[in-house]
Amino acid sequence: MNRRILGVLFVLTLVALAFAVADTTKPANLTASLSPGKVDLKSAGALAFGPDGILFVGDSVGGAVVELDTNDRTAGGGAGLHVDGIDAKIAAMAGVTPDQIAINDVKVNPISKKVYVSAMRGRGPDAQPMIVRVNAAGEVANVSLDDTKHASVNLTDTPDPNPGARQDPRMMTITDMAYVSGNLMVAGLSNEEWSSALRSIPVPFKSAEKGATLQIWHSSHGRYETQSPVRTFVPYNIAGQPYMLAAYTCTPLVKIPVNMLKPGEKVKGVTIADLGAGNQPLDMVPYRKEGHDYILIANSSRGLVKLRADGVASAAAIDSPTKVDGPAGIPYDKLDLKNVQQLAAFDAGHAVVLIGQPGAGPSFNPGQPRGPLTLQTIALP
Amino acid sequence: MCLAAATPPSIELEGGVFRVSGWTAPPTPPAKGWPQIFAVYAGFGSIPPMLGSYAVEKGSLVFRPAFPLAAGVRYRAVFHPPAGPDIERIFDSPLKQTTPAARVESVYPSGALLPSNLLRLYVYFSAPMTQGEAFRCLHLLDEKGKDLPGVFLPGEELWDPESKRLTMTFDPGRIKRGLTSNVAIGPPIVEGRHYTLVIDRMWPDAHGLPLVESYRRSFRGGPAQRTKPDPARWRVAAPAAGTSAALAVTFSEPMNYVLLKRMIEVVRGDRVVASSVIIDQNEARWLFTPRDPWKPGDYRLVIDSALEDLAGNSIAHAFDIDVFEQVTEHLTATKISLPFSVK
């Protein structure tokens, strides 16, 4: 091999190295602070994706949120996903029967379009967390937590007041999370006190940084005020301004300007829709189609609905219960797809849904969905 | 890679580990990994193999499942030797326990008269339970025994980490004044009406076994609690110095049981007094027995302002404030002190 060829090879190697470095340094902004090692998750609940393939996992039992590097940064696509019996597949991998698998959340990596599913193996105190990812071909793979770059934030504020007890019975169940403008927003419900705060944690996580807590209030008719926990929410842009579209536990759907979310300030959302009695919004996917804005909402008892959201920007607060016999506020259409248990954004034209059979309870409140569960993409209506 | 001459290969299960005996494994896995040669399935049909790790130990290939084997599952281990026929063996995991042992120990609040805007119920079980069953197994019946729909927050069970205490929240949309649900169908509990809380025996515990017996408790709807608990109105009966008699604090209304257990302390100087606490009179009284006899002098009850009554009204603020009727007060202090003297 002569010197010239060696020189060309050297230059090519440098170029290749430069690309390799570029590929890893781009996401390293967020992943650089993460440390490799075994991820100590006690439960796997709410999921959220940040930039660069970062996955946030809510661990309610462990009282923590974990930031994981999925190392899944190869662009993908293809909205033809359809996996029947996803619960049976996860159960087989975990060595149990499908009734022992509880699927807690479904989210899509916005880069690779792989679908991530958090689940618990077992339904009692010995239940163990699992995270799996499903590729476009429908293949289900375990996301190993044994040696993964990660960081975590412990959300427990106070030491155990009763150290003699085996475990502190207090728990904050993380009901939803989303990455908004450099922060992870975390909504939760306490199993003891009613008032619970929305938390905003700067990303990347730093171990001592629990983030600011934001007191979220709800007002009805300008007359009654409640400190009401947010159950589910989604980042939303209105006229170029960042908002949160949130559902309180007391049902109303509200819009909250993100710049109002300041520690120590009382934050009140503006109610834009009330989806009616005996119902809870489970997941929301905002999208734009043919020049109009919509929000797809999966509900616990009202099924899948499409909110016509062109008026969200200008929507006045609902200030009187004018339609007491049904949903009030922004108009919406009910869709035919039944038994949607989880809903997440897939791409500009698609969402991914987890569909099950209604639970065994009475029709007004069927409870835990039954298998077999189907994971599939749907075209946004 | 060779077959042992004496005995054909076999699959064994010992201590939760699957092992291929009678076959000398190569030190490195084949190109497509060990699962190509040896895999364990939790059942039959077209299902993915179980997660786990492989190792070659003393020349034998072993598979350690990622999760412990579960009761009541048939495991199918399949070995595809490079030469010779496949070997398959079925293992039955330990049987499930069959004797029910779990029961409902108590439900709070415990009174027979509960406010119409009651916010939460706490159900204590004697053993860990299966989660996700409340909407099938927990009912609120009216006077005619009819199951009342839409009483609780849909789909929301909150458990403690041991899966022994369940928190159920009444639908806040029906409790909060002025909301569509509240106006259309009213609060879940109506003043003057009689109700029965029923927990079915069929509720499976963590082993999948039913309860020893079902649970029933009746109560009557009372007036709504709309105001903040006011510690200034509590009666504090200080015991005599030199005794270990209980300090009795009587509230002006029943309070939230689980919060009472951790939101009140007795402090002398800057030290928290060690004690045991009993809550009685349907959560309207808090009895504090010190570990050491009372010393003469000044003490303080230190109360967390997040302490709630049965309707979610905390000392800091009411559950839903009517801003037309009163100035919205916001208590900034997170701790409130009530001094008392021991003589």
Side-chain angles (χ1 to χ4, degrees):
Chain A
M1 201 178 292
N2 65 32
R3 278 189 175 194
R4 192 170 168 187
I5 293 174
L6 271 175
V8 169
L9 278 177
F10 179 66
V11 169
L12 284 175
T13 305
L14 278 182
V15 170
L17 273 173
F19 273 114
V21 169
D23 275 346
T24 51
T25 48
K26 182 173 173 285
N29 292 337
L30 279 181
T31 60
S33 62
L34 306 180
S35 308
K38 185 174 169 59
V39 184
D40 183 26
L41 271 187
K42 293 190 170 55
S43 64
L47 300 177
F49 268 97
D52 304 327
I54 293 286
L55 177 65
F56 301 98
V57 184
D59 176 4
S60 297
V61 176
V65 181
V66 178
E67 179 186 7
L68 295 177
D69 179 6
T70 59
N71 206 20
D72 176 17
R73 284 181 276 274
T74 304
L81 180 70
H82 188 114
V83 183
D84 283 326
I86 180 78
D87 51 336
K89 286 186 163 58
I90 296 172
M93 291 161 70
V96 289
T97 46
D99 66 323
Q100 290 301 305
I101 293 294
I103 291 181
N104 288 331
D105 205 1
V106 171
K107 285 282 157 53
V108 180
N109 182 337
I111 301 170
S112 69
K113 304 299 180 200
K114 286 179 182 161
V115 181
Y116 284 67
V117 177
S118 64
M120 293 300 284
R121 177 207 194 253
R123 291 169 61 196
D126 301 327
Q128 291 169 289
M130 292 180 75
I131 298 171
V132 301
R133 76 176 142 224
V134 186
N135 66 12
E139 293 161 337
V140 184
N142 183 52
V143 176
S144 172
L145 302 172
D146 288 341
D147 187 16
T148 303
K149 287 179 75 178
H150 70 283
S152 65
V153 168
N154 189 330
L155 301 181
T156 311
D157 287 322
T158 49
D160 188 342
N162 186 6
R166 214 150 70 82
Q167 270 180 304
D168 188 347
R170 271 185 297 165
M171 205 163 93
M172 177 67 76
T173 296
I174 297 168
T175 55
D176 206 1
M177 304 192 302
Y179 178 83
V180 184
S181 311
N183 292 286
L184 184 73
M185 309 293 287
V186 181
L189 288 175
S190 161
N191 68 345
E192 295 205 340
E193 57 266 60
W194 170 245
S195 59
S196 51
L198 192 71
R199 199 183 288 260
S200 168
I201 307 168
V203 175
F205 288 174
K206 297 183 185 71
S207 61
E209 178 64 88
K210 293 180 198 301
T213 56
L214 310 160
Q215 302 298 322
I216 301 292
W217 285 68
H218 176 244
S219 169
S220 63
H221 320 157
R223 175 164 184 175
Y224 300 110
E225 290 185 343
T226 322
Q227 191 176 23
S228 187
V230 165
R231 190 184 187 283
T232 182
F233 65 97
V234 66
Y236 193 67
N237 270 298
I238 300 176
Q241 295 298 311
Y243 277 75
M244 268 175 52
L245 205 62
Y248 292 125
T249 44
C250 54
T251 309
L253 207 59
V254 300
K255 59 177 182 182
I256 302 170
V258 168
N259 62 15
M260 267 177 59
L261 297 172
K262 290 176 186 159
E265 286 191 17
K266 182 172 146 182
V267 181
K268 255 192 281 189
V270 174
T271 304
I272 54 167
D274 189 339
L275 298 173
N279 180 54
Q280 279 222 80
L282 303 173
D283 283 310
M284 297 185 273
V285 171
Y287 63 99
R288 190 164 176 82
K289 186 176 180 179
E290 294 162 0
H292 295 283
D293 289 319
Y294 301 98
I295 302 161
L296 197 60
I297 305 176
N299 291 281
S300 65
S301 63
R302 289 188 178 259
L304 194 65
V305 302
K306 182 173 81 166
L307 206 73
R308 282 177 262 152
D310 285 339
V312 163
S314 57
I318 297 174
D319 58 2
S320 66
T322 47
K323 291 183 185 174
V324 293
D325 55 344
I330 304 265
Y332 71 76
D333 306 309
K334 284 199 81 166
L335 304 176
D336 288 336
L337 194 61
K338 301 267 189 285
N339 301 319
V340 174
Q341 315 294 351
Q342 299 280 347
L343 167 72
F346 185 86
D347 61 20
H350 298 85
V352 63
V353 290
L354 181 75
I355 302 174
Q357 303 303 311
S363 60
F364 58 81
N365 216 338
Q368 190 81 10
R370 292 178 298 175
L373 300 170
T374 299
L375 185 74
Q376 66 176 95
T377 46
I378 58 166
L380 288 166
Chain B
M1 194 183 305
C2 65
L3 286 175
T7 52
S10 63
I11 305 170
E12 289 152 13
L13 171 62
E14 194 177 327
V17 176
F18 295 86
R19 177 184 300 272
V20 179
S21 298
W23 178 72
T24 304
T28 53
K32 291 185 178 173
W34 289 122
Q36 191 190 10
I37 287 184
F38 183 43
V40 181
Y41 300 86
F44 300 83
S46 176
I47 55 173
M50 283 166 59
L51 299 172
S53 58
Y54 290 86
V56 176
E57 295 175 1
K58 296 179 183 168
S60 293
L61 180 60
V62 300
F63 171 73
R64 286 189 169 77
F67 300 99
L69 300 183
V73 179
R74 300 197 90 188
Y75 293 98
R76 181 168 60 96
V78 183
F79 174 51
H80 308 281
D86 287 357
I87 293 166
E88 181 175 304
R89 191 167 168 197
I90 310 293
F91 297 93
D92 284 316
S93 61
L95 293 175
K96 292 180 178 179
Q97 292 180 29
T98 55
T99 310
R103 58 178 76 233
V104 175
E105 283 187 330
S106 49
V107 175
Y108 292 96
S110 63
L113 183 71
L114 299 176
S116 63
N117 57 346
L118 174 64
L119 188 61
R120 283 189 155 173
L121 280 180
Y122 303 92
V123 182
Y124 284 75
F125 293 93
S126 65
M129 300 297 291
T130 289
Q131 301 186 8
E133 297 287 338
F135 293 93
R136 195 161 63 100
C137 301
L138 187 143
H139 315 271
L140 190 66
L141 310 182
D142 68 8
E143 285 148 323
K144 294 176 181 163
K146 180 172 164 273
D147 203 336
L148 293 171
V151 170
F152 297 105
L153 193 57
E156 204 64 79
E157 293 180 17
L158 300 169
W159 289 88
D160 72 336
E162 288 187 283
S163 224
K164 288 171 72 175
R165 189 186 72 193
L166 168 68
T167 304
M168 292 298 290
T169 307
F170 285 90
D171 185 350
R174 291 183 59 180
I175 296 172
K176 188 183 169 191
R177 289 173 288 176
L179 284 181
T180 303
S181 307
N182 172 268
V183 175
I185 46 181
I189 297 169
V190 176
E191 184 176 353
R193 298 258 176 91
H194 291 263
Y195 299 90
T196 305
L197 178 75
V198 177
I199 294 169
D200 293 336
R201 182 173 177 266
M202 64 189 277
W203 194 322
D205 70 7
H207 303 293
L209 297 173
L211 298 174
V212 173
E213 59 193 356
S214 61
Y215 175 89
R216 294 177 76 88
R217 209 187 92 207
S218 297
F219 65 91
R220 188 161 59 86
Q225 285 182 352
R226 299 275 184 216
T227 54
K228 299 186 293 183
D230 182 3
R233 294 177 58 212
W234 297 354
R235 277 189 291 125
V236 180
T243 72
S244 293
L247 165 79
V249 180
T250 307
F251 311 117
S252 39
E253 60 189 328
M255 301 294 285
N256 180 309
Y257 175 80
V258 306
L259 299 182
L260 276 180
K261 290 180 82 169
R262 67 175 167 88
M263 288 197 169
I264 307 182
E265 289 178 329
V266 173
V267 175
R268 184 170 189 266
D270 56 359
R271 304 190 69 163
V272 175
V273 180
S275 68
S276 63
V277 167
I278 292 172
I279 296 158
D280 69 357
Q281 295 185 353
N282 299 327
E283 300 85 68
R285 191 171 69 159
W286 186 82
L287 294 170
F288 175 98
T289 305
R291 197 181 59 194
D292 303 318
W294 295 101
K295 293 174 181 155
D298 293 334
Y299 290 79
R300 286 177 296 135
L301 274 180
V302 177
I303 306 145
D304 191 324
S305 67
L307 178 62
E308 295 171 14
D309 63 14
L310 304 186
N313 303 301
S314 72
I315 293 169
H317 50 76
F319 171 77
D320 60 346
I321 300 161
D322 187 336
V323 294
F324 286 8
E325 287 178 358
Q326 62 185 58
V327 176
T328 308
E329 297 170 54
H330 293 291
L331 196 67
T332 49
T334 56
K335 300 280 182 187
I336 295 140
S337 281
L338 271 189
F340 66 94
S341 295
V342 171
K343 294 171 185 166

